[in-house]
Amino acid sequence: MRKTSATRTTAPSAQNAFKAQAGYIPGMEANGIHRQTLRFEAHGQCVEVEVLRPTPAQLATLATSIIAAQKQLAALPVMEIVDAIDRSIARMLEADTPERREIERLLPIISGFSPEMTRLGINACLKAFRRPQLLRFLVEDFGDPGLLDDFRPRPKGGWTRACGPALLAHVWAGNVPGLPLWSMVAGLLVKASGIGKMSSDEPLFASWFAHTLAEVDPRLANALAVVWWPGGDTGLEQALCQHADVLKVYGGDSAIAAWQRRLPAGKRLLAHGYKLSVGLVSGTALDTRQSQATARQAALDILRWDQQGCYSPQTLFVERGAQVSPSEFACHLAGELATLEHTFPRRALALEESTSVAHWRQTLELEELRGEAIELLGSTDAPWGIAYMDKPQAPLPTALNRTACVMAVDSLEDAMPLLAGQRAVLQTVGLAASPEELFRLAPLIAEAGATRICALGAMTTPEPGWHHDGRFSLLDLVRMVDIETSAETAAEALASYRN
């Protein structure tokens, strides 16, 4: 059974381009699948990635094969699947393997992020999927992971089992490397086979994991496929929707709506679209000893992946009345971003992104000229931008790419009505506050619509088993099957040993 290579590369050609292949298809000859080349340039280097682009008929055949392989996956104890994932992640964390070296060389060129940010980001992502974390993942949603293996007794009587979908389809965004791991691992844990559509912006990570998993445990080799096609290919999208039981989509609202229209009735769409995240800084974090460290944590949340993740803060509400004022905190934050730029330089922006940043600055400059209490920190050519606002308003979507607003408030409670106005898109709130303030503010933050509260500085590294957008990572994928007490009682009446 031949499998396509995940990330095989060669030395740069005469055109100074590395060559790589992405995608993973078990049980089908690679030569039978069309390859299309995606070209990436950054840091003065180029990568040409050949991705696997099936026809609708090939995708339908692949889906049928993957669904058949799910029966073998379903028969495995969930703890053996956990061990296979853990061993795969351990191999991916090894710094000296050829595959890891190639990934560290290629991902910065493909994503544009700095090599150091990419290396640290890969490690942070992979460490979230080791065995201890996977067990927490399972217990968080199921309590008893044995529900995935067999019927388990219920406290009120009867029995219950959790059954994963025969085919879980993934449509990944490419804004943050490593994003596909969340849905791929979740699918495997509930014993669902999977077909993933790679992003045109980052096609390597999912391929790397699928290839590694197949080598580590051949019993799982046929349970995954990773392919590519450009968005809007009606035939391929219809073929995927026709065969998938559950479709998990990461992307913009328009893309999610398009996938929803293609999904037949009775099938489920689990979507993760646009979200807005903010930071809250209490006066207890703004004394002369703590304020600089608080500013650095906020700066790290802003610069990691250049705010491309939904959990990255775009606005920070900062409390007045402390030793360090909100305006001074904004200056500390600007200084930290300038300092960290030397270690983690911002990636080169596309024309559309540069235009968005310029427009963001121009809009705020006009407001400043009209007498609004706004101060822009950072020169127009700085790879970051901070806007300080003495009068708070609703959290503002920024231009991302290390742009943020700092808003002064008399108390953090004053920010709650402003957060509530963004209820539909509010996700993560990063908090720098005392324990008393944490538990006083948490109910108000929850009431405002947020789905995650974490420490400032930890916004971009969600914990294993987090409730992404307020939903369950694993429970949303399964259907629960109950054996009611009546069935058990009736069966007893028909037993060979009945009275």
Side-chain angles (χ1 to χ4, degrees):
M1 186 176 295
R2 184 175 176 180
K3 307 176 185 68
T4 62
S5 172
T7 55
R8 188 172 66 251
T9 63
T10 66
S13 67
Q15 290 76 33
N16 196 35
F18 292 102
K19 305 290 184 180
Q21 291 181 357
Y24 176 82
I25 294 182
M28 296 178 70
E29 290 295 327
N31 292 337
I33 306 294
H34 174 68
R35 290 188 176 275
Q36 184 163 329
T37 299
L38 305 179
R39 186 179 177 88
F40 303 89
E41 294 184 32
H43 311 299
Q45 295 180 298
C46 174
V47 177
E48 292 180 350
V49 181
E50 286 188 349
V51 292
L52 292 167
R53 181 178 181 177
T55 64
Q58 288 171 333
L59 185 62
T61 301
L62 174 62
T64 302
S65 172
I66 292 287
I67 290 170
Q70 192 266 341
K71 294 180 180 179
Q72 182 181 6
L73 179 64
L76 292 176
V78 68
M79 290 307 168
E80 292 187 19
I81 297 174
V82 166
D83 288 340
I85 296 171
D86 178 58
R87 285 184 283 124
S88 301
I89 297 298
R91 180 178 295 188
M92 295 169 76
L93 279 165
E94 293 177 7
D96 293 331
T97 63
E99 294 82 6
R100 177 61 189 252
R101 288 196 296 269
E102 288 177 354
I103 286 292
E104 288 193 15
R105 177 174 58 181
L106 299 179
L107 265 187
I109 306 171
I110 290 171
S111 66
F113 296 115
S114 70
E116 184 65 5
M117 181 183 291
T118 303
R119 184 184 68 82
L120 294 176
I122 289 174
N123 282 343
C125 174
L126 292 174
K127 286 189 291 185
F129 299 100
R130 297 305 308 272
R131 189 175 191 277
Q133 288 71 35
L134 294 174
L135 296 180
R136 293 190 187 101
F137 216 151
L138 287 164
V139 172
E140 180 70 34
D141 280 16
F142 294 111
D144 178 7
L147 285 165
L148 291 158
D149 292 337
D150 201 354
F151 283 95
R152 308 291 280 191
R154 304 175 69 186
K156 70 174 186 177
W159 304 75
T160 295
R161 182 173 183 174
C163 297
L167 180 59
L168 170 63
H170 316 261
V171 179
W172 296 306
N175 51 334
V176 176
L179 174 69
L181 265 185
W182 288 96
S183 63
M184 293 177 84
V185 168
L188 289 167
L189 289 177
V190 299
K191 306 184 182 182
S193 61
I195 295 179
K197 177 185 178 297
M198 295 179 283
S199 167
S200 298
D201 294 328
E202 198 286 280
L204 284 187
F205 210 98
S207 308
W208 182 30
F209 175 71
H211 180 71
T212 304
L213 182 71
E215 290 182 344
V216 165
D217 194 331
R219 295 175 301 172
L220 304 180
N222 297 329
L224 287 176
V226 180
V227 294
W228 176 90
W229 64 84
D233 189 313
T234 303
L236 283 162
E237 291 175 358
Q238 287 179 339
L240 187 65
C241 290
Q242 187 65 39
H243 288 84
D245 297 298
V246 180
L247 177 65
K248 198 171 182 68
V249 178
Y250 298 83
D253 292 341
S254 60
I256 289 171
W259 280 102
Q260 179 70 79
R261 288 192 296 270
R262 300 204 191 287
L263 202 64
K267 303 199 174 191
R268 282 185 289 148
L269 174 69
L270 302 176
H272 296 291
Y274 169 76
K275 296 296 176 184
L276 180 69
S277 296
V278 304
L280 300 178
V281 181
S282 163
T284 57
L286 292 174
D287 60 26
T288 53
R289 183 173 61 89
Q290 292 284 350
S291 60
Q292 197 71 43
T294 303
R296 171 159 286 237
Q297 294 306 311
L300 288 169
D301 278 336
I302 290 169
L303 70 82
R304 289 192 185 109
W305 305 129
D306 292 349
Q307 293 173 293
Q308 297 302 303
C310 57
Y311 37 50
S312 300
Q314 300 185 50
T315 295
L316 294 104
F317 293 95
V318 182
E319 204 168 46
R320 291 189 178 97
Q323 291 178 329
V324 174
S325 69
S327 62
E328 290 172 322
F329 176 80
C331 292
H332 288 334
L333 177 60
E336 290 293 339
L337 287 171
T339 299
L340 290 167
E341 170 67 20
H342 298 293
T343 305
F344 304 104
R346 188 183 70 181
R347 64 194 174 90
L349 303 185
L351 177 60
E352 182 180 355
E353 293 173 311
S354 298
T355 302
S356 178
V357 171
H359 177 72
W360 177 79
R361 294 188 65 94
Q362 290 166 2
T363 300
L364 293 172
E365 286 169 352
L366 286 174
E367 295 295 321
E368 190 176 13
L369 289 173
R370 291 177 186 146
E372 296 291 337
I374 296 175
E375 180 184 0
L376 272 172
L377 306 176
S379 61
T380 55
D381 59 350
W384 52 269
I386 297 296
Y388 171 70
M389 301 179 178
D390 201 51
K391 181 180 178 181
Q393 54 183 286
L396 296 176
T398 67
L400 306 180
N401 299 299
R402 309 191 187 187
T403 59
C405 297
V406 174
M407 298 185 186
V409 290
D410 291 332
S411 71
L412 293 183
E413 284 85 348
D414 294 339
M416 298 304 145
L418 303 174
L419 296 183
Q422 302 295 316
R423 175 183 301 274
V425 295
L426 186 62
Q427 192 208 70
T428 296
V429 173
L431 187 60
S434 68
E436 295 79 10
E437 291 170 319
L438 166 62
F439 290 103
R440 188 184 76 245
L441 291 169
L444 304 177
I445 295 170
E447 186 178 344
T451 58
R452 176 175 172 243
I453 302 169
C454 66
L456 200 65
M459 295 180 69
T460 60
T461 53
E463 294 180 350
W466 72 306
H467 296 106
H468 192 174
D469 295 340
R471 298 301 310 165
F472 291 96
S473 298
L474 303 180
L475 271 179
D476 280 356
L477 299 177
V478 304
R479 56 186 171 86
M480 306 300 288
V481 182
D482 296 336
I483 299 176
E484 294 189 353
T485 306
S486 63
E488 192 174 3
T489 302
E492 286 288 339
L494 299 174
S496 59
Y497 51 80
R498 65 185 181 274
N499 293 329

